[in-house]
Amino acid sequence: MASVAELKAAIDVALQQIGDGQTAVQAAGEKLSEAQQTLAGALEGSGHETVEAAQASLTQASQELEECLAATLVAVEQAQLYVATL
């Protein structure tokens, strides 16, 4: 069985990994936003359904990234609450 110090150290590593993941998700969100703007500019005025579908997919992807970030924030909070009880 791991000691309290070992457990806290492992949780700290996990929290750092979550932070790294959050940074990557935020960067992905920024790139998606840039892609949306580029696509919108390039295809301005096009009413083709595939263009609209592409924009809708990018919007959905952005929303799902935001949900991912929100979930990781909850995970961090819960892990920190657990550490506080140790």
Side-chain angles (χ1 to χ4, degrees):
M1 184 164 196
S3 70
V4 172
E6 291 170 329
L7 185 55
K8 285 182 177 183
I11 292 170
D12 284 343
V13 169
L15 290 174
Q16 180 60 48
Q17 292 168 332
I18 292 169
D20 294 346
Q22 289 170 328
T23 299
V25 169
Q26 289 169 336
E30 290 170 10
K31 288 294 181 185
L32 281 178
S33 179
E34 291 171 12
Q36 277 183 298
Q37 292 173 353
T38 301
L39 189 60
L43 302 172
E44 187 175 341
S46 175
H48 198 275
E49 65 186 51
T50 57
V51 171
E52 293 172 5
Q55 290 287 23
S57 292
L58 288 172
T59 298
Q60 180 181 354
S62 293
Q63 290 169 345
E64 289 176 7
L65 286 175
E66 287 298 320
E67 291 171 8
C68 175
L69 282 175
T72 61
L73 290 174
V74 171
V76 166
E77 289 174 4
Q78 294 300 312
Q80 289 171 334
L81 283 173
Y82 179 69
V83 167
T85 66
L86 297 176

